[in-house]
Amino acid sequence: MNWGVFLQGGGAPNAAAVSPVNAYVGAGLRLRHFIPDSPGSTLSLGMARAWQRQSGSNTGAAETSLEVNFKQPVFKDFYIQPDLQYIINPGANGPGYTLPNAFVAIIRLGWHYHLHA
């Protein structure tokens, strides 16, 4: 098994009209070769938080996403990747106008194409 971690972040000093996202932080864990008999399998766990400015202000609320996904090769260069996300305060709306938390399920299909010289 091969594992890795990541941490990323960013910020934008611009006004809300230019950049509604004030700051961002994300972190996660990736386990490759998660299934011993399937060397291309990958399990990923992660979280992200984005702070957004409200119009006319430099302050605002934040949106948080918790995610787990699993990438599994099906056959040569083709894979399937189910992805589950739980989003807290979608849209990062402030008090008085909040959307309910959301559960999102996605299935990605992918194909890697290699040019051979």
Side-chain angles (χ1 to χ4, degrees):
M1 192 178 310
N2 174 320
W3 65 277
V5 296
F6 73 89
L7 178 63
Q8 56 193 17
N14 301 351
V18 175
S19 176
V21 176
N22 183 34
Y24 167 85
V25 66
L29 172 67
R30 182 201 69 237
L31 299 171
R32 286 193 178 151
H33 315 303
F34 183 67
I35 299 174
D37 294 335
S38 182
S41 61
T42 304
L43 176 68
S44 299
L45 307 169
M47 66 78 56
R49 186 160 172 96
W51 290 268
Q52 297 186 20
R53 297 178 185 94
Q54 303 299 314
S55 271
S57 170
N58 277 337
T59 62
E63 174 182 290
T64 303
S65 174
L66 306 171
E67 178 178 4
V68 60
N69 70 67
F70 178 71
K71 182 177 175 182
Q72 177 61 45
V74 178
F75 54 85
K76 184 175 175 19
D77 297 330
F78 182 79
Y79 64 88
I80 187 167
Q81 186 174 9
D83 185 339
L84 301 174
Q85 298 178 18
Y86 185 69
I87 303 170
I88 302 163
N89 193 22
N93 293 303
Y97 183 73
T98 57
L99 298 171
N101 295 346
F103 180 74
V104 179
I106 302 166
I107 294 184
R108 295 182 185 102
L109 301 175
W111 175 50
H112 294 190
Y113 180 74
H114 305 280
L115 294 175
H116 299 284

